[in-house]
Amino acid sequence: MPKVVLSATNIWKKIGHNVIVNDLSLKLYEGDIVGFIGSNGAGKTTTIKLLLGLQTLNGGKVLINEYDLKKDFINAISNVGAIIENPDLYMYMTGYENLRISAILHNIPTSRIEEVVELVGLKDKIHDKVKKYSLGMRQRLGIAQAILHKPKVLILDEPMNGLDPIGIKELKDLLIKLSQKEKIAILISSHLLMLYYHHSTLHPMKFFAVIL
Protein backbone atom coordinates (compact mmCIF):
# COMPACT_ATOMS: atom_id res chain seq x y z
CA MET A 1 0.00 0.00 0.00
CA PRO A 2 1.53 3.39 -1.02
CA LYS A 3 2.25 5.81 1.77
CA VAL A 4 0.06 8.90 2.32
CA VAL A 5 2.40 11.88 1.87
CA LEU A 6 -0.12 14.73 1.97
CA SER A 7 -3.32 14.76 4.00
CA ALA A 8 -5.73 17.65 4.51
CA THR A 9 -8.70 17.15 6.82
CA ASN A 10 -11.70 19.50 6.91
CA ILE A 11 -9.68 22.60 6.08
CA TRP A 12 -11.45 25.91 5.62
CA LYS A 13 -10.59 29.55 5.10
CA LYS A 14 -12.69 32.65 5.60
CA ILE A 15 -11.71 36.15 4.51
CA GLY A 16 -14.05 38.81 5.84
CA HIS A 17 -17.57 37.48 5.33
CA ASN A 18 -16.54 35.20 2.46
CA VAL A 19 -15.76 31.51 2.93
CA ILE A 20 -13.06 30.83 0.32
CA VAL A 21 -12.41 27.15 1.14
CA ASN A 22 -15.18 25.18 2.84
CA ASP A 23 -14.51 21.90 4.70
CA LEU A 24 -12.07 20.43 2.18
CA SER A 25 -10.37 17.05 2.67
CA LEU A 26 -7.89 15.19 0.47
CA LYS A 27 -5.15 12.56 0.50
CA LEU A 28 -2.19 12.13 -1.85
CA TYR A 29 -0.20 8.90 -1.99
CA GLU A 30 3.37 8.31 -3.19
CA GLY A 31 3.48 8.39 -6.99
CA ASP A 32 0.04 9.99 -7.40
CA ILE A 33 -0.61 12.60 -10.08
CA VAL A 34 -3.76 14.44 -9.06
CA GLY A 35 -5.63 17.11 -10.99
CA PHE A 36 -7.20 19.87 -8.89
CA ILE A 37 -9.78 21.43 -11.17
CA GLY A 38 -11.80 24.61 -10.90
CA SER A 39 -12.73 27.84 -12.65
CA ASN A 40 -10.74 31.04 -12.22
CA GLY A 41 -11.44 32.53 -8.79
CA ALA A 42 -12.80 29.28 -7.37
CA GLY A 43 -10.20 29.08 -4.58
CA LYS A 44 -7.56 26.75 -6.04
CA THR A 45 -4.58 29.00 -5.34
CA THR A 46 -5.90 29.82 -1.86
CA THR A 47 -6.19 26.08 -1.15
CA ILE A 48 -2.61 25.53 -2.31
CA LYS A 49 -1.37 28.38 -0.11
CA LEU A 50 -3.18 26.79 2.85
CA LEU A 51 -1.50 23.45 2.10
CA LEU A 52 1.89 25.22 2.04
CA GLY A 53 1.32 27.27 5.17
CA LEU A 54 1.41 30.53 3.21
CA GLN A 55 -2.03 31.41 4.57
CA THR A 56 -3.44 30.60 7.99
CA LEU A 57 -6.13 27.98 8.30
CA ASN A 58 -9.36 28.93 10.07
CA GLY A 59 -9.91 25.26 10.77
CA GLY A 60 -8.78 21.76 9.87
CA LYS A 61 -5.40 20.02 9.73
CA VAL A 62 -2.67 19.47 7.12
CA LEU A 63 -0.11 16.66 7.43
CA ILE A 64 2.87 16.42 5.06
CA ASN A 65 4.78 13.15 5.25
CA GLU A 66 3.09 12.69 8.66
CA TYR A 67 4.32 16.07 10.01
CA ASP A 68 1.66 18.51 11.20
CA LEU A 69 2.05 21.71 9.16
CA LYS A 70 0.94 23.92 12.04
CA LYS A 71 2.86 22.23 14.87
CA ASP A 72 6.02 21.23 12.98
CA PHE A 73 6.21 23.59 10.02
CA ILE A 74 9.91 23.20 9.18
CA ASN A 75 9.86 19.39 8.97
CA ALA A 76 6.52 19.41 7.15
CA ILE A 77 7.44 21.97 4.50
CA SER A 78 10.87 20.40 3.91
CA ASN A 79 8.99 17.54 2.22
CA VAL A 80 7.37 19.83 -0.38
CA GLY A 81 8.47 21.40 -3.66
CA ALA A 82 6.15 23.96 -5.21
CA ILE A 83 5.71 26.46 -8.02
CA ILE A 84 3.00 29.04 -7.37
CA GLU A 85 2.00 30.87 -10.56
CA ASN A 86 5.52 31.15 -12.11
CA PRO A 87 8.97 29.67 -11.40
CA ASP A 88 11.17 32.02 -9.35
CA LEU A 89 14.22 32.24 -11.62
CA TYR A 90 17.09 34.66 -12.25
CA MET A 91 16.74 35.42 -15.95
CA TYR A 92 20.25 36.86 -16.39
CA MET A 93 21.89 33.71 -15.02
CA THR A 94 22.24 30.27 -16.62
CA GLY A 95 19.95 27.40 -15.76
CA TYR A 96 22.82 25.69 -13.97
CA GLU A 97 23.61 28.79 -11.91
CA ASN A 98 19.98 29.00 -10.80
CA LEU A 99 20.08 25.41 -9.62
CA ARG A 100 23.47 25.90 -7.99
CA ILE A 101 22.12 28.74 -5.83
CA SER A 102 19.26 26.52 -4.61
CA ALA A 103 21.67 23.64 -4.02
CA ILE A 104 23.97 25.79 -1.87
CA LEU A 105 21.04 27.09 0.19
CA HIS A 106 19.85 23.54 0.89
CA ASN A 107 23.30 21.91 1.15
CA ILE A 108 22.62 19.68 -1.86
CA PRO A 109 25.53 17.98 -3.71
CA THR A 110 26.42 18.80 -7.33
CA SER A 111 25.58 15.23 -8.33
CA ARG A 112 21.91 15.93 -7.53
CA ILE A 113 21.93 18.95 -9.87
CA GLU A 114 23.18 16.74 -12.69
CA GLU A 115 20.52 14.15 -11.84
CA VAL A 116 17.58 16.57 -12.00
CA VAL A 117 18.89 18.25 -15.16
CA GLU A 118 18.82 14.85 -16.83
CA LEU A 119 15.34 14.14 -15.45
CA VAL A 120 13.79 17.35 -16.81
CA GLY A 121 15.52 17.11 -20.20
CA LEU A 122 17.63 20.28 -20.04
CA LYS A 123 21.10 18.74 -20.32
CA ASP A 124 21.88 20.46 -23.65
CA LYS A 125 20.62 23.90 -22.54
CA ILE A 126 21.48 24.04 -18.84
CA HIS A 127 24.46 26.41 -19.36
CA ASP A 128 22.42 28.87 -21.46
CA LYS A 129 20.99 32.06 -19.95
CA VAL A 130 17.43 31.55 -18.69
CA LYS A 131 16.29 34.62 -20.65
CA LYS A 132 16.91 32.57 -23.82
CA TYR A 133 14.70 29.71 -22.63
CA SER A 134 11.23 29.07 -24.00
CA LEU A 135 8.32 29.15 -21.54
CA GLY A 136 8.27 25.35 -21.46
CA MET A 137 11.99 25.19 -20.69
CA ARG A 138 11.55 27.67 -17.85
CA GLN A 139 8.78 25.52 -16.40
CA ARG A 140 11.05 22.47 -16.56
CA LEU A 141 13.88 24.39 -14.90
CA GLY A 142 11.46 25.53 -12.19
CA ILE A 143 10.44 21.92 -11.60
CA ALA A 144 14.11 20.89 -11.43
CA GLN A 145 14.62 23.58 -8.79
CA ALA A 146 11.55 22.41 -6.87
CA ILE A 147 12.66 18.76 -6.70
CA LEU A 148 16.36 19.31 -5.95
CA HIS A 149 15.88 18.42 -2.27
CA LYS A 150 13.94 15.22 -3.11
CA PRO A 151 10.54 16.26 -1.74
CA LYS A 152 7.71 13.80 -1.19
CA VAL A 153 5.15 16.20 -2.72
CA LEU A 154 5.30 18.53 -5.73
CA ILE A 155 2.58 21.20 -6.02
CA LEU A 156 2.14 23.09 -9.29
CA ASP A 157 -0.30 25.98 -9.65
CA GLU A 158 -1.55 26.37 -13.25
CA PRO A 159 1.68 24.97 -14.77
CA MET A 160 0.22 24.69 -18.30
CA ASN A 161 -0.63 28.40 -18.64
CA GLY A 162 0.83 29.87 -21.83
CA LEU A 163 2.26 26.59 -23.12
CA ASP A 164 1.62 25.46 -26.68
CA PRO A 165 0.35 21.89 -27.34
CA ILE A 166 3.89 20.53 -27.67
CA GLY A 167 4.93 22.17 -24.42
CA ILE A 168 1.85 20.78 -22.65
CA LYS A 169 2.63 17.25 -23.85
CA GLU A 170 6.28 17.56 -22.81
CA LEU A 171 5.26 18.75 -19.35
CA LYS A 172 2.76 15.91 -18.93
CA ASP A 173 5.40 13.36 -19.97
CA LEU A 174 7.86 14.89 -17.50
CA LEU A 175 5.40 14.70 -14.60
CA ILE A 176 4.67 11.05 -15.33
CA LYS A 177 8.41 10.32 -15.37
CA LEU A 178 8.93 12.13 -12.07
CA SER A 179 6.09 10.28 -10.38
CA GLN A 180 7.56 6.97 -11.46
CA LYS A 181 11.29 7.58 -10.96
CA GLU A 182 11.19 9.88 -7.92
CA LYS A 183 8.05 8.31 -6.35
CA ILE A 184 6.80 11.85 -5.80
CA ALA A 185 3.14 12.78 -5.38
CA ILE A 186 2.12 15.63 -7.70
CA LEU A 187 -0.83 17.98 -7.22
CA ILE A 188 -1.63 20.14 -10.25
CA SER A 189 -4.23 22.90 -10.25
CA SER A 190 -5.89 24.15 -13.43
CA HIS A 191 -9.06 25.71 -14.77
CA LEU A 192 -8.71 23.69 -17.99
CA LEU A 193 -10.08 20.17 -17.63
CA MET A 194 -8.91 19.10 -21.09
CA LEU A 195 -5.27 19.52 -20.11
CA TYR A 196 -5.42 16.44 -17.92
CA TYR A 197 -6.25 13.98 -20.66
CA HIS A 198 -3.15 12.09 -21.69
CA HIS A 199 -2.43 9.71 -24.55
CA SER A 200 -0.67 7.29 -22.23
CA THR A 201 -2.42 4.73 -20.03
CA LEU A 202 0.77 4.07 -18.05
CA HIS A 203 -0.17 6.63 -15.43
CA PRO A 204 -3.81 7.78 -15.58
CA MET A 205 -4.47 11.20 -14.09
CA LYS A 206 -6.62 11.23 -10.97
CA PHE A 207 -9.10 14.04 -10.44
CA PHE A 208 -9.28 15.13 -6.82
CA ALA A 209 -11.93 17.81 -7.02
CA VAL A 210 -13.96 20.00 -9.28
CA ILE A 211 -14.59 23.42 -7.75
CA LEU A 212 -17.25 25.44 -9.54
Side-chain angles (χ1 to χ4, degrees), residues 121-150:
L122 285 176
K123 189 174 181 180
D124 294 337
K125 299 291 184 180
I126 197 61
H127 294 292
D128 291 352
K129 301 275 187 176
V130 174
K131 65 183 179 182
K132 296 181 179 179
Y133 282 16
S134 67
L135 182 58
M137 290 168 65
R138 290 175 194 169
Q139 282 285 22
R140 283 186 276 151
L141 180 62
I143 290 171
Q145 191 178 58
I147 65 170
L148 263 178
H149 62 296
K150 296 187 177 181

Side-chain angles (χ1 to χ4, degrees), residues 190-210:
S190 181
H191 62 283
L192 299 175
L193 182 64
M194 63 178 291
L195 294 179
Y196 293 105
Y197 288 100
H198 196 274
H199 67 281
S200 172
T201 57
L202 294 177
H203 198 309
M205 175 71 72
K206 295 181 181 179
F207 295 95
F208 160 64
V210 177

Side-chain angles (χ1 to χ4, degrees), residues 160 163-176 195 197-200:
M160 313 292 187
L163 296 183
D164 61 22
I166 293 174
I168 290 171
K169 180 185 179 300
E170 288 176 346
L171 185 55
K172 289 178 178 178
D173 290 340
L174 170 59
L175 297 179
I176 289 172
L195 294 179
Y197 288 100
H198 196 274
H199 67 281
S200 172

Side-chain angles (χ1 to χ4, degrees), residues 36 42 75 89 110 112 169:
F36 187 41
N75 280 322
L89 303 170
T110 302
R112 177 60 178 170
K169 180 185 179 300

